[in-house]
Amino acid sequence: MSMTRFQALAELNTRQPAEVKAPSAKISDYFGANVFSPFRMREYLTDDVYEKLMECINLGVRIDRSLADHVASAMKEWAMSKGATHYTHWFQPLTGATAEKHDSFFKPLGDGRAIEKFEGTMLVQQEPDASSFPNGGIRNTFEARGYTLWDPSSPAFIVGNTLCIPTIFISYTGHALDYKMPMMKALNAVDVAATAVCQYFDKEVVKVNTTLGWEQEYFLIDEALFLARPDIAMTGRALFGARPAKGQQLEDHYFGSIPDRAMAFMQDFEQESHLLGIPVTTRHNEVAPNQFEVAPMFEEANLANDHNQLLMDLLNKVARKHQFRVLLHEKPFEGVNGSGKHNNWALSTNTGVNLLKPGRNPKSNLQFLTFFVNTVAAIYENADVLRASIATVGNDHRLGANEAPPAIMSCFLGDQLSAMLDDLEKNIKAGKMTPQDKIELKLNIGKLPQVLLDNTDRNRTSPFAFTGNKFEFRAVGSSANCANAMIVLNTIVANRLIAFKKDVDARITKGDDKDEAILKELQRLIKMSKVIRFEGNGYGDEWVKEAKKRGLSNFSDAPSALAIWKDKNVQKMFQTLNVLTPEEIHARYEIEMETYSRKRDIEAALTCNLAINHIIPSALRYQSELIDNVSGLKSILTAAEFKEAASTQLNLIKGISKEVNAMKKAADQVEMERGKANASDTEKQAKLFAGRIKPLMDEVRAAADRLELLVEDEAWPLPKMREILFTN
Ligand code: ADP
Ligand code: MG
């Protein structure tokens, strides 16, 4: 149901914070209550089955039919005890949203009775009608079959009365049609590569896990205002709206007290998150008005990402209960900050060591430096692929917009680590090292201060910053599936670590001892990747110039950023590491380009609709009133009096005509160019939307926003920015 601006504003006056009751006073009493966690499995499975299942999960081994039957039966028993009647395979197709198809446990027996049934085969594999999910040409239309396969490493959970089983989604031919499968493969690649490198330092290391701690930003706006703005309701962002007199310039929202209604909503979705085992711990206001952030304790990356996907669903669902709508778009409002999803990333071993945390002694510090320098070098080698991993239509508005990381990929290390790397670069001699050289270097590395953790200089303008014990990838968009960024980051780091191992081993074969070989290889990498390091202000124009001088890429829109996926060497890297085949990469490229065009096309169409059907008619009605006023004045005043009395009105009348004409002209061009774009092939279409149509849409908007400032407030049809951003 849509609303008028004034109906919406009237509704606002009736809003009250909803009452929220916690399941129990202590979160620990209900945390994970709706999850079939290892803890719960122990209760429902025999010791034998439990041990076998854990072994399969930890070693990534196939689960056989009889084991699956046991697990399925236990899962059903647990789920039914919680009131579940249905089950679904829960998966992450390339639409960006999660998907599910519910089936009942209930089975009629044909003799008038019925039973509840859930067997291993139903747990392990399903065949959803997959023909309407994006596949980028991988699945021929005549072969519409796709399969979902159980991911036992991510525990099943209950939402409402449905048992949800996390699964990967593949085509009949075995190609990935989702985010989860390549994500798991990339995590495996970095595990294998990092474990091999760890052997230089600690033979006990047999597994390296990726840890991911995301920080989710979002806007919360009232439902009535949302419904009165077709652009926001349909595209998630305001296509029109003059900047309010007050935006975020006073910086009074950041960390301010959370308004009551918003607080009730947060308590509610946090409780729902906790029931599902999502370890959310922090909540606060963000910089822009009505912008907030939620962040959990970090977890193993595959699970952390499932939790982020679930949380995004929860945000949307719970918001409706509170008559709010959540905007996950990267840039819903011009003139105030956009929303990101920082991905905090680190590697941790089965021995409990975070490989990106400086250690207490020279040996562990050399291990830290190895992973640290290789990560920086990986970003240097594959900055363009990393940029492509965050390229979306929404993020185009955010990156480089003076309040988000620039579209130029660079690494921020902080003073102390920068100095350490400079030191290593200079002080490792080219020739054979003497024992004294080695002792000195190691002592130096050993000095990597423990205080580093507390001391990290937090440069918030860098897209990829080291923050004491992890790297923080800040350029990820708020609506993104973290997997895209994680697939690329883990793959390029795996690729780098494999090369590192090979090069160090080669040096050892030639006669260097292990430490010397590692140090010399690190020195080479430090030199090689120097240009990717930047400690200054990433928002400044100087950086754009400087980056250009350094030869760093700066892709301002998604279609140009995505082109790197066509690079044969990039495809080879992903194939060699068994993450994505060239076919899968091509399909993803096609899907992302198509999605870009489709989303822009919807925005373009709405821009024209709202301009022609809402804004121009309202402006003309107000102009008619002015004209009435002017003709009235003319009939009662002398020529000289009239000239004086009507001058403001006449200027307004002319001003309105000018902007209306500008809007109409630009809108006509948008329509014409849309026609051309939509008749072009995928690549050309996306380029036209980015290069031609987007600037024309901006012209329509600019004229409309100027009109908003000319037209009487009462006559304006769409809720204004100040109403959307400052009511709660
Ligand atoms: P910020 O200053 O960026 O807002 P926060 O303290 O809010 O930082 O968030 C830091 C995030 O980093 C949290 O989500 C936390 O779980 C995550 N984090 C901390 N240590 C690690 C780690 N070793 N691996 C991955 N994420 C981590
Ligand atoms: Mg952060």
Side-chain angles (χ1 to χ4, degrees):
M1 179 195 57
S2 71
M3 278 197 191
T4 69
R5 174 173 166 222
F6 295 98
Q7 282 168 337
L9 290 172
E11 280 233 3
L12 267 184
N13 289 327
T14 68
R15 298 283 193 239
Q16 292 293 328
E19 231 175 277
V20 180
K21 236 182 116 216
S24 159
K26 280 204 308 225
I27 295 171
S28 56
D29 285 346
Y30 60 91
F31 183 77
N34 293 344
V35 185
F36 196 55
S37 58
F39 171 75
R40 209 133 284 131
M41 286 181 200
R42 212 182 251 291
E43 190 184 329
Y44 279 83
L45 295 169
T46 61
D47 286 351
D48 202 33
V49 171
Y50 176 80
E51 302 292 334
K52 243 164 96 189
L53 178 64
M54 286 301 139
E55 199 180 301
C56 288
I57 292 175
N58 292 334
L59 302 176
V61 177
R62 228 186 100 97
I63 289 170
D64 66 30
R65 174 71 199 266
S66 113
L67 184 57
D69 276 338
H70 278 107
V71 179
S73 146
M75 232 185 232
K76 184 192 77 177
E77 196 191 331
W78 168 76
M80 286 178 56
S81 79
K82 309 275 303 173
T85 53
H86 287 66
Y87 68 94
T88 181
H89 275 196
W90 181 78
F91 58 105
Q92 301 171 27
L94 298 168
T95 51
T98 56
E100 44 200 76
K101 174 183 160 244
H102 298 204
D103 283 304
S104 179
F105 290 133
F106 158 84
K107 238 200 180 82
L109 289 176
D111 61 358
R113 291 170 308 159
I115 52 164
E116 264 81 23
K117 212 174 156 108
F118 186 56
E119 289 176 342
T121 47
M122 297 145 98
L123 165 66
V124 171
Q125 180 176 325
Q126 291 276 300
E127 198 179 311
D129 172 20
S131 52
S132 46
F133 291 106
N135 62 75
I138 273 185
R139 207 178 331 88
N140 297 327
T141 29
F142 61 82
E143 186 44 90
R145 267 186 294 172
Y147 295 110
T148 51
L149 303 176
W150 178 34
D151 166 15
S153 68
S154 181
F157 53 91
I158 294 175
V159 174
N161 60 7
T162 303
L163 170 70
C164 303
I165 298 150
T167 56
I168 59 169
F169 180 40
I170 59 170
S171 72
Y172 176 66
T173 49
H175 291 100
L177 295 174
D178 71 347
Y179 290 104
K180 198 188 232 305
M181 175 149 126
M183 165 99 158
M184 292 176 76
K185 287 180 162 183
L187 296 174
N188 183 57
V190 87
D191 169 14
V192 173
T195 300
V197 171
C198 282
Q199 298 303 304
Y200 289 134
F201 307 97
D202 183 356
K203 300 271 183 232
E204 304 276 289
V205 174
V206 293
K207 181 154 175 68
V208 173
N209 272 321
T210 298
T211 50
L212 166 64
W214 41 263
E215 302 164 55
Q216 178 75 54
E217 292 181 331
Y218 61 94
F219 280 86
L220 196 58
I221 71 172
D222 186 83
E223 181 172 64
L225 292 168
F226 173 91
L227 293 172
R229 287 288 306 237
D231 49 347
I232 300 180
M234 295 176 82
T235 71
R237 88 177 171 102
L239 299 172
F240 295 98
R243 292 185 185 189
K246 182 179 174 207
Q248 62 189 44
Q249 62 272 56
L250 301 179
E251 303 194 333
D252 50 356
H253 188 68
Y254 194 43
F255 280 37
S257 71
I258 299 172
D260 289 349
R261 262 185 83 203
M263 185 60 121
F265 156 75
M266 285 180 193
Q267 279 167 351
D268 201 353
F269 92 73
E270 282 173 16
Q271 278 164 22
E272 296 288 334
S273 303
H274 289 146
L275 284 165
L276 288 170
I278 308 172
V280 298
T281 49
T282 65
R283 60 162 98 109
H284 62 78
N285 290 2
E286 263 302 323
V287 177
N290 280 359
Q291 191 189 26
F292 303 93
E293 179 185 291
V294 51
M297 170 79 186
F298 69 91
E299 299 175 282
E300 184 280 319
N302 179 37
L303 182 60
N305 190 42
D306 282 358
H307 280 166
N308 180 247
Q309 289 291 302
L310 257 180
L311 179 111
M312 292 200 287
D313 281 347
L314 275 182
L315 283 174
N316 284 322
K317 271 191 209 147
V318 178
R320 283 167 182 250
K321 279 197 346 210
H322 293 256
Q323 291 171 304
F324 278 125
R325 291 302 167 94
V326 160
L327 303 183
L328 291 170
H329 193 283
E330 283 73 16
K331 186 78 178 176
F333 307 108
E334 294 283 313
V336 296
N337 277 8
S339 301
K341 174 150 51 197
H342 295 175
N343 278 206
N344 294 274
W345 171 93
L347 296 170
S348 89
T349 67
N350 59 301
T351 55
V353 172
N354 175 355
L355 295 168
L356 289 160
K357 184 175 169 179
R360 291 179 201 286
N361 55 48
K363 187 175 130 204
S364 62
N365 272 325
L366 188 58
Q367 176 172 280
F368 159 74
L369 274 177
T370 294
F371 284 92
F372 180 75
V373 170
N374 273 287
T375 304
V376 175
I379 306 301
Y380 163 77
E381 288 173 327
N382 282 295
D384 289 356
V385 197
L386 196 66
R387 168 67 181 92
S389 78
I390 48 149
T392 59
V393 71
N395 227 7
D396 271 10
H397 296 269
R398 182 176 157 258
L399 300 178
N402 283 326
E403 36 83 358
I408 308 160
M409 294 295 111
S410 69
C411 297
F412 169 85
L413 311 184
D415 290 346
Q416 305 190 50
L417 280 162
S418 296
M420 169 69 72
L421 296 203
D422 291 345
D423 205 52
L424 289 174
E425 182 187 343
K426 274 204 301 281
N427 293 333
I428 298 176
K429 283 195 217 145
K432 186 84 192 138
M433 284 180 171
T434 65
Q436 186 58 27
D437 290 340
K438 276 184 242 167
I439 290 170
E440 266 174 36
L441 272 170
K442 279 198 175 177
L443 269 178
N444 203 358
I445 292 171
K447 274 189 268 167
L448 248 190
Q450 263 308 109
V451 288
L452 199 63
L453 245 184
D454 319 309
N455 235 348
T456 335
D457 186 354
R458 298 223 155 187
N459 180 331
R460 303 218 164 246
T461 67
S462 173
F464 199 84
F466 184 70
T467 51
N469 60 346
K470 61 192 182 293
F471 279 97
E472 181 170 359
F473 187 21
R474 300 209 182 97
V476 184
S478 48
S479 70
N481 184 313
C482 305
N484 248 0
M486 287 294 115
I487 290 166
V488 169
L489 180 56
N490 287 297
T491 303
I492 65 179
V493 170
N495 183 59
R496 177 91 280 296
L497 290 171
I498 290 167
F500 179 78
K501 176 90 172 45
K502 206 169 128 233
D503 295 338
V504 169
D505 286 350
R507 285 180 195 269
I508 293 173
T509 311
K510 280 200 196 137
D512 283 353
D513 74 24
K514 189 181 74 187
D515 287 352
E516 184 172 4
I518 291 174
L519 283 165
K520 284 193 172 157
E521 193 49 31
L522 289 181
Q523 182 191 38
R524 187 183 75 79
L525 294 178
I526 292 168
K527 278 189 188 153
M528 173 187 89
S529 58
K530 211 169 172 182
V531 297
I532 203 79
R533 283 158 52 191
F534 180 61
E535 303 287 303
N537 175 17
Y539 296 173
D541 289 338
E542 304 76 51
W543 173 226
V544 177
K545 283 185 218 136
E546 163 72 15
K548 197 168 173 191
K549 250 195 258 157
R550 293 189 189 186
L552 301 178
S553 308
N554 184 4
F555 297 108
S556 62
D557 61 55
S560 45
L562 289 168
I564 188 71
W565 287 119
K566 293 191 292 184
D567 186 298
K568 290 276 179 288
N569 288 326
V570 169
Q571 296 185 357
K572 201 166 148 219
M573 170 171 66
F574 279 82
Q575 179 162 42
T576 310
L577 289 171
N578 189 29
V579 176
L580 288 166
T581 64
E583 231 180 327
E584 288 169 326
I585 289 178
H586 176 72
R588 263 152 226 266
Y589 171 70
E590 287 275 315
I591 291 168
E592 287 176 11
M593 293 288 269
E594 264 174 27
T595 305
Y596 181 92
S597 295
R598 283 182 190 161
K599 290 195 172 168
R600 268 289 183 257
D601 191 35
I602 294 170
E603 287 186 354
L606 261 170
T607 297
C608 296
N609 287 166
L610 289 178
I612 310 286
N613 305 331
H614 292 236
I615 299 173
I616 293 179
S618 306
L620 293 182
R621 264 194 299 276
Y622 174 59
Q623 194 188 41
S624 301
E625 270 183 41
L626 293 170
I627 292 168
D628 284 350
N629 174 284
V630 170
S631 6
L633 288 177
K634 194 157 200 172
S635 70
I636 58 170
L637 300 177
T638 66
E641 284 168 341
F642 174 75
K643 200 171 165 211
E644 159 108 31
S647 71
T648 300
Q649 298 88 312
L650 285 170
N651 279 334
L652 277 170
I653 289 167
K654 281 188 227 152
I656 289 171
S657 289
K658 183 171 158 235
E659 303 305 352
V660 163
N661 288 339
M663 267 179 91
K664 179 70 170 65
K665 193 168 148 227
D668 286 348
Q669 280 179 294
V670 168
E671 286 298 5
M672 203 178 72
E673 296 290 335
R674 266 184 76 208
K676 278 193 218 156
N678 290 334
S680 309
D681 64 46
T682 312
E683 204 161 283
K684 183 148 181 240
Q685 184 190 28
K687 284 185 182 153
L688 284 172
F689 272 109
R692 285 286 298 148
I693 298 168
K694 166 67 178 37
L696 288 169
M697 287 163 60
D698 290 343
E699 274 181 42
V700 180
R701 179 187 184 142
D705 291 357
R706 288 191 298 267
L707 256 184
E708 186 184 323
L709 301 176
L710 293 179
V711 172
E712 182 201 12
D713 184 55
E714 287 279 311
W716 196 254
L718 301 170
K720 295 188 170 182
M721 284 305 112
R722 62 163 189 267
E723 293 158 350
I724 296 172
L725 287 173
F726 290 93
T727 42
N728 229 306

